[in-house]
Structures are given as structure tokens and as C-alpha cells.
Amino acid sequence: MASSAIFNFLPSSSLSSLSFRSSRTQTPIFYKPLIVKASTSVDYSSSSLAGTSTKNNNWVWKYKDNSVNIYYEEHDKGSDEPCKNILMIPTISDVSTVEEWRSVAKDIAGRNGKVNYKTTIVDWPGLGYSDRPKLDYNADVMEKFLVDFINAPDSPVNNSDKDLVVFGGGHAATLAVRAAKKGLVKPTAIASIAPTWAGPLPIVFGRDSSMETRYGFLRGTLRAPAVGWMMYNVLVSNEKSITSQYKSHVYADSEKVTPYIIESRFALTKRQGARYVPAAFLTGLLDPVKSREEFVQLFAELEGKIPCLVLATAGSPKRSKAEMEALKEAKGVSKYVEVPGALLPQEECPEIVAEQLYRFLQEIYEL
């Protein structure tokens, strides 16, 4: 996000070369990818929705010498009946928030089917409503957080049977797949929604040595006292910039970008320490891999081990869509579905995304 505006603030010399899832459950293992195009309408006649209960709390992440308060929400039917656990992870961006998953979380938690579900949404450290300390954020730090949140004895998603499905958007999806590939987490299944691997600047301008130098300059400036806040306010933390991002590439249908969304996201950019993660994300430090080949290979490592659904989007920006389409018949991808939307379909088209995710859950737990 905001990639085109950023380079207006770099020295003119910097612009010269720019051209701009086990025995715990009876999980089906899909060996041949199933490719589907999702319907744009949802029929709830065979699966009615019940009311949901919502709880929010903080979990303390211990990282080096830091105790970071991590915000999370839990959605269920408010009963004592057994349920399966789902972790939903927001898309990493300069305005990342649990809010983008809330409608889907409530939808799935409220469904009346053979299996009950409890959905937990968590904000990344440095983003959303979590604390935003000045850490040296990179992909390894974010992966460490995700692994700790899933595996810690006091984690909200830790349970006796270790049965957990992970849904992630954008970079979050790819980080979850990377952690699973390494064996650091062992989810029952993974759903990757509009998965990405390259930050806003690297996907546009590449990452040769000269560009990496410029990214470093920008990152350092954004993290600096005073001038960092000034640049952050101009590039990211203003309603005009956020509106432009959402209408140009975050949502496919600009009419769905409401004043509430803009106001909510703008408020997030004003939280203390708000600029540190965006500085890393924009410049590629949070990228889980460095190439499309590595991206595809991550998913291939899940083959025959963990069912993986990919929800690609019809309206994504050209470069991002090309990376998603590289997974269309890739090893390790059990099912590939194209849904409406762009980079945030779980918020833009929650009913359609919820329906596809619920069908995936049924294939895992009910068939």
C-alpha cells in the first residue's frame, strides 16, 4: 500500500533507474488440486445461523526482554458444547486489524451444523489493537510470534487435542504455511486467503541491491524520531491515502469502502508506535520468501500432510493476482477457489468467503 507515493520522498538520485493438516481427525488428504469458481450468491437455507458470543482479551507475548500485550477476540455460540478451534490471522498491512475477519468469524461460529466452531482472531504485534513496541520487525519475528501464539501453554488457541485450523490473509497466510512447512506448527488444515509474499515496494520495484539500499533508507527514516512521524503522517496516516489504497487495490468494489472503514483504519495509524511494522512491511522485511519459486515450493511441502485451501481473488492487482494464480495447480494446494474481491475479500465479501471456508471445514470434519 502507498507504494507509488513513497518514492516521491526519496532523493531524486534514487529514482533514476526506476521503471516502474493425522490421527486426531479424519482429515481428507487431497492429492489433486480441485479448482472452483465461487458463486457470488450465498444460500443459507440448509445451514441456519445462530447468535454468537464475543469475548476480547489480551495475551502477553514474551519476546526477548519485551512483554507485548496481544489483542484477540473469541467468537462462539456461548455454550458448553465441544467445538473445533479456528485461528484467523489478519492480512499484514499498515492498517491490519481483527476487524477485517470479524464478520466471517461470527458467521462460521454461528452456523448450526454437525460440528460447532470457536473462532479466534488475533492482532499481530505492532498492528491493530496489540502493543506496538519498537522491535526490529522482520518475517522471522512475525513467524516466531505466530508459533508462540499457537503453541504456548497459556495460548487462547491451545487445547488438549491440539486440533486447530488456521485461516490467514495475505502475508499472514504465507507465514502460516512457512511455519507449518518447518514443522513449527502442526495445524489440522490451512486456508490461505488472497495469499501474498512480496511487500508493496518489492512487488512493484523489485529487490536488486540498489533497491534494497533505497528501501533501507526509507525504513530508517520512517523509524526515526520526529522526521519518521512526519513522513508516516504524509504517506500512510491520513484519510486521503487510506481511501486511495482501499479504493484502488484493497477492495475491488470501491462503493464498499465506507466512511466507517476509513475512520477506523485512520484511528489505528495514530496509535503509539504505529509506524514500525509498516516501515518493515512496505520495504519487504516481512516478506516470507524472496521469489515466486520459493512461494510455490512452500505450499508444495504441505503435499499429503496438511489440507490447504487457497482463495484467490478475481479483482486483485495484476502483480498480486499473478502470484495467486501460480498456486492454481501447484502441489500442496488441495483446493483452489476464486472469489470476488481484491486483497481483503474476507472483509469486502464476508458472506462468500465464509461460505467457502465453511465448506472446507465440512470436508475436513464432516465427510
Side-chain angles (χ1 to χ4, degrees), residues 257-274:
V257 181
T258 65
Y260 170 79
I261 292 173
I262 302 303
E263 292 167 8
S264 167
R265 305 309 189 261
F266 175 65
L268 289 174
T269 69
K270 294 301 182 184
R271 294 174 65 87
Q272 183 176 357

Side-chain angles (χ1 to χ4, degrees), residues 183 199 223 267 356:
R223 288 175 60 90
Q356 292 300 324

Side-chain angles (χ1 to χ4, degrees), residues 17-189:
S17 64
L18 296 180
S19 58
F20 306 142
R21 191 209 286 219
S22 114
S23 60
R24 299 188 301 271
T25 55
Q26 295 180 348
T27 305
I29 302 298
F30 307 92
Y31 291 100
K32 184 176 180 180
L34 177 61
I35 301 172
V36 180
K37 187 166 185 177
S39 169
T40 56
S41 62
V42 179
D43 180 9
Y44 290 116
S45 59
S46 62
S47 180
S48 59
L49 300 178
T52 58
S53 171
T54 299
K55 299 176 185 176
N56 55 67
N57 210 333
N58 287 290
W59 176 76
V60 179
W61 181 43
K62 303 287 187 179
Y63 179 72
K64 295 185 176 180
D65 295 328
N66 300 277
S67 293
V68 185
N69 289 308
I70 300 296
Y71 177 84
Y72 69 93
E73 295 181 357
E74 298 173 310
H75 302 270
D76 58 28
K77 293 178 183 175
S79 69
D80 295 327
E81 296 180 3
C83 57
K84 299 295 184 181
N85 288 287
I86 304 168
L87 173 62
M88 299 178 171
I89 323 168
T91 301
I92 295 178
S93 75
D94 43 12
V95 289
S96 172
T97 169
V98 295
E99 293 177 10
E100 69 191 52
W101 273 110
R102 195 172 285 155
S103 293
V104 174
K106 291 186 176 192
D107 184 314
I108 292 176
R111 296 214 179 197
N112 291 318
K114 295 179 182 178
V115 178
N116 293 317
Y117 297 101
K118 175 182 177 181
T119 57
T120 301
I121 324 171
V122 63
D123 267 330
W124 292 98
L127 292 171
Y129 299 100
S130 291
D131 285 353
R132 303 181 177 210
K134 191 177 181 180
L135 305 179
D136 291 324
Y137 294 98
N138 57 36
D140 292 339
V141 172
M142 295 312 223
E143 180 184 85
K144 177 74 165 81
F145 162 72
L146 181 59
V147 171
D148 289 349
F149 188 77
I150 291 174
N151 293 335
D154 63 342
S155 165
V157 296
N158 191 299
N159 59 89
S160 59
D161 60 6
K162 305 295 182 182
D163 193 1
L164 178 70
V165 175
V166 176
F167 297 163
H171 274 42
T174 312
L175 283 167
V177 172
R178 192 176 89 157
K181 176 247 183 185
K182 294 178 180 179
L184 300 175
V185 295
K186 298 179 180 180
T188 301

Side-chain angles (χ1 to χ4, degrees), residues 205-333:
F205 304 113
R207 54 189 329 141
D208 60 34
S209 59
S210 63
M211 289 309 305
E212 291 288 5
T213 299
R214 295 162 193 168
Y215 299 157
F217 172 82
L218 174 61
R219 187 162 53 243
T221 303
L222 283 169
R223 288 175 60 90
V227 67
W229 265 117
M230 291 174 60
M231 179 176 282
Y232 179 72
N233 287 335
V234 171
L235 300 177
V236 177
S237 184
N238 65 84
E239 294 183 340
K240 183 177 180 181
S241 175
I242 295 169
T243 300
S244 176
Q245 292 175 32
Y246 269 75
K247 290 190 173 183
S248 66
H249 57 272
V250 178
Y251 276 31
D253 183 355
S254 62
E255 296 298 317
K256 292 185 178 181
V257 181
T258 65
Y260 170 79
I261 292 173
I262 302 303
E263 292 167 8
S264 167
R265 305 309 189 261
F266 175 65
L268 289 174
T269 69
K270 294 301 182 184
R271 294 174 65 87
Q272 183 176 357
R275 70 189 190 276
Y276 301 130
V277 169
F281 173 64
L282 288 167
T283 57
L285 274 190
L286 303 189
D287 294 355
V289 294
K290 303 299 183 187
S291 70
R292 180 183 295 178
E293 291 73 24
E294 289 182 52
F295 180 56
V296 173
Q297 186 58 35
L298 276 186
F299 285 82
E301 295 290 336
L302 303 184
E303 183 79 4
K305 301 173 185 176
I306 302 173
C308 180
L309 166 68
V310 170
L311 291 187
T313 50
S316 285
K318 183 177 179 180
R319 293 181 179 91
S320 297
K321 188 172 183 178
E323 304 308 319
M324 297 178 204
E325 289 180 339
L327 299 173
K328 197 167 189 176
E329 296 183 358
K331 290 181 62 178
V333 177

